Amino acid sequence: MFKGAFSIWNRDMLVLRRSLFTELLAVVASPLTFYLAFGFGLKGYIANVEGVPYTVFMAPGLITMTAVSAAFDESAWSMWFHRKVQRTIEAYRVTPITVYDIVIGKIISGFTHGALKGVAVAAVIFLLTGFRVAVTHLAGYLAFIVLGSMIFSCLGTVCGTLLDKPETIGKVQAVVIMPLIFMSGVFFPVSSYPAAIRGYVTAIPTTALFEGSRVALLAGSLNGAYLAILAFSAAVAFAGAVAIFNRKIEE
Amino acid sequence: MESALSLRAVTKRFGPITAVEDFSLEVVRGTIFALLGPNGAGKTTIIRILTTLLRPTSGTALVEGFDVQHEGKRVRRLIGVVPQENNLDRYLTARENLLLQARLHGMAPAESRRRIDELLELVGLVGRQHDFPDTFSGGMQRRLVVARALVHRPRVLFLDEPTTGLDPQSRRAVWEYIESLKDSMTIFLTTHYMDEADALCDRIVIMDHGRALVDGTAARLKERMAHAHVYELQFRANAERYEAMLGGFPFVRSLRRTGDTFRLCLAGEESLKPLMDAIGTDDIRKLCLLEPSLEDVFIELTGREVRE
Ligand SMILES: Nc1ncnc2c1ncn2[C@@H]1O[C@H](COP(=O)(O)OP(=O)(O)OP(=O)(O)O)[C@@H](O)[C@H]1O
Ligand SMILES: [Mg+2]
């Protein structure tokens, strides 16, 4: 079962290995910029947030953000590229593997990109700054990263499957993905929202992701409701991505 | 003998466009079969249906007895595909492209290694096996795609315009591989080139507008044209004037011009006299009877002009 998916994932990892260093360098640049600009540039203006210094508050969100947006980017662009540019999806489709193998292999590849790049950013923030967390908190945090990367990888796969023009994928990133990430607890706590809309914001899965992962990493406590929202979203996104790919590709 | 391929009343529509209409065909095992037709005839659509990439709107298609719609996986185990446009992975080297194919077919590593060495040798890419396809010429890329289609020793090989865009030398090379494979598999190819179908194929079907027009061996198809008399006519001068005249005669069934030379197909021998009477002999440099080529059959059947 899923040997085909494994072969495709393997191919993606071989390609990633060839450019691993530049990929990681590129992905570390932007969260590090945010960290330095907001964390240190605004240091004098921002007091502690939720009981911790702003640089500490922001770090988990930046790591999570890197992981999930890398998962989305990789899945969306890779699916689009293999479908529209290189047409390798078609080459895969005339071999005995199934469409499920293809889409699952691609989702796992996006997920792996996300996880690796998240770890890279975490390592850099850890090395370059005084940011430290308890090792025991990592397991819980990882659960959030895994679920988040999975959701975003599936969303990316859906975009890469449905959208034929590259500029449309760019627009989805700018109009949907970025706001979704920025508005849900990376740079400020959800408690900052007016009470009237806080309820809605809390219901968005990305809030569960960013709030839940921050608390998991900084305080070591797991929010069951948030984890449940994410697990459910991941299941729905996965089923949706597989079904959409299946329908679109069979014409 | 059993059929390697059968299409039974296959129709494929894309919205209002009917790409393939009520198309039936049986291809016997071990033959080299050519599907000929102008742009947009429906050749690629038929290949895509047979290789499980497209569902027919109606009708059934079988490969080695397996239904492409319901037994797709079994069909895909048996086929090798060279698509119209190269779809190599440009982030993998030539050898890695072949290795991935072997893996997707579930081949054991030792066996794939041996097979890939053999194929690289066959297509003359041993020296370039660790290079990326982007650095290859068009002919080399094409050869790599052919090699990829052969990794798992398919029983049926589909080649969609295998030699389009290749220079005469590379075309011959590809023909040679195809010939050498002939004994071990059924080969289904599409082409625009008459000489290709003529040189390689046991059987030829000419199609247009999604329908089959004629079916037979190259020799039989030419025979069908035997009643049509093809002449070559060369003028010393005034070619423009004669072109207009020739085009106006009802018994001139088709007319093609290259410089001062016209290739025309007459309705019958009896048309020769009225033709000569009308154009006179003053400006004629040469007149000769030609053996009809497949190209004449093609043009005769698909219309005088090449459609857009
Ligand atoms: N995905 C599609 N959507 C809509 N129309 C299509 C699609 N694929 C093919 N067609 C139409 O079906 C018809 C047959 O196309 P097909 O590609 O099979 O022709 P072909 O014989 O391979 O031509 P060529 O020699 O140019 O490759 C054309 O009119 C084409 O426009
Ligand atoms: Mg075609």
Side-chain angles (χ1 to χ4, degrees), chain B residues 44 84 160-161:
Chain B
T44 299
Q84 188 165 352
D160 198 351
E161 299 187 16

Side-chain angles (χ1 to χ4, degrees), chain B residues 46-90:
Chain B
I46 287 183
I47 288 207
R48 291 174 62 86
I49 288 171
L50 284 168
T51 55
T52 76
L53 290 172
L54 270 184
R55 287 177 190 284
T57 311
S58 64
T60 44
L62 308 179
V63 174
E64 292 281 338
F66 298 114
D67 189 316
V68 295
Q69 287 187 78
H70 305 115
E71 295 161 301
K73 198 165 174 171
R74 308 187 78 151
V75 169
R76 292 194 296 268
R77 258 190 243 289
L78 303 175
I79 60 172
V81 183
V82 175
Q84 188 165 352
E85 277 166 42
N86 293 343
N87 56 2
L88 292 163
D89 193 329
R90 59 185 83 162

Side-chain angles (χ1 to χ4, degrees), chain B:
Chain B
M1 240 194 293
E2 221 183 305
S3 292
L5 301 170
S6 29
L7 290 165
R8 297 183 187 149
V10 168
T11 296
K12 176 69 192 180
R13 289 196 191 88
F14 296 103
I17 301 169
T18 304
V20 174
E21 194 166 5
D22 196 24
F23 199 99
S24 295
L25 177 74
E26 300 283 326
V27 177
V28 172
R29 274 200 193 133
T31 43
I32 303 191
F33 174 89
L35 194 56
L36 249 96
N39 289 135
K43 304 180 297 293
T44 299
T45 306
I46 287 183
I47 288 207
R48 291 174 62 86
I49 288 171
L50 284 168
T51 55
T52 76
L53 290 172
L54 270 184
R55 287 177 190 284
T57 311
S58 64
T60 44
L62 308 179
V63 174
E64 292 281 338
F66 298 114
D67 189 316
V68 295
Q69 287 187 78
H70 305 115
E71 295 161 301
K73 198 165 174 171
R74 308 187 78 151
V75 169
R76 292 194 296 268
R77 258 190 243 289
L78 303 175
I79 60 172
V81 183
V82 175
Q84 188 165 352
E85 277 166 42
N86 293 343
N87 56 2
L88 292 163
D89 193 329
R90 59 185 83 162
Y91 286 89
L92 296 181
T93 64
R95 191 181 184 89
E96 287 163 355
N97 266 284
L98 302 181
L99 268 169
L100 178 59
Q101 176 79 358
R103 278 202 176 185
L104 294 176
H105 274 273
M107 287 167 68
E111 192 204 344
S112 16
R113 221 174 302 126
R114 227 176 308 121
R115 177 71 178 153
I116 288 168
D117 288 337
E118 188 183 307
L119 284 169
L120 285 167
E121 189 74 49
L122 176 76
V123 298
L125 288 174
V126 177
R128 301 293 303 271
Q129 59 175 307
H130 299 300
D131 294 337
F132 292 92
D134 268 354
T135 65
F136 289 4
S137 72
M140 291 162 78
Q141 292 191 17
R142 207 65 187 145
R143 270 141 56 198
L144 182 57
V145 180
V146 173
R148 189 184 61 184
L150 295 173
V151 167
H152 51 289
R153 301 176 197 277
R155 300 236 301 262
V156 184
L157 179 64
F158 293 91
L159 302 144
D160 198 351
E161 299 187 16
T163 62
T164 300
L166 301 190
D167 65 20
Q169 212 178 341
S170 308
R171 288 184 68 202
R172 298 234 165 255
V174 170
W175 289 3
E176 268 168 40
Y177 310 141
I178 296 174
E179 288 256 62
S180 70
L181 299 167
K182 170 176 192 168
D183 297 327
S184 49
M185 60 187 78
T186 310
I187 298 172
F188 185 109
L189 64 86
T190 74
T191 180
H192 294 288
Y193 300 117
M194 311 301 140
D195 56 339
E196 186 159 299
D198 200 359
L200 279 177
C201 301
D202 306 314
R203 186 172 157 213
I204 297 165
V205 163
I206 300 185
M207 72 178 299
D208 195 18
H209 297 294
R211 289 175 167 278
L213 299 173
V214 261
D215 184 345
T217 60
R220 278 244 315 272
L221 291 185
K222 285 186 197 163
E223 208 177 295
R224 275 188 64 143
M225 283 294 291
H227 67 278
H229 300 260
V230 184
Y231 292 90
E232 193 174 83
L233 189 54
Q234 196 179 18
F235 293 100
R236 240 184 283 278
N238 301 323
E240 268 74 28
R241 190 159 61 81
Y242 288 112
E243 183 171 19
M245 271 173 77
L246 291 171
F249 295 130
F251 46 79
V252 174
R253 307 234 313 249
S254 73
L255 181 67
R256 267 184 297 153
R257 175 179 173 189
T258 27
D260 304 337
T261 310
F262 293 85
R263 189 183 173 92
L264 52 144
C265 183
L266 298 183
E269 249 162 8
E270 65 285 356
S271 316
L272 198 56
K273 191 172 176 326
L275 177 77
M276 296 312 291
D277 289 346
I279 59 175
T281 51
D282 294 351
D283 290 331
I284 293 181
R285 173 177 286 152
K286 191 173 109 190
L287 171 67
C288 57
L289 178 63
L290 299 175
E291 189 185 342
S293 68
L294 264 177
E295 188 131 15
D296 294 311
V297 182
F298 187 100
I299 289 182
E300 173 78 10
L301 290 164
T302 62
R304 292 184 182 196
E305 285 148 46
V306 174
R307 292 179 304 117
E308 278 309 309

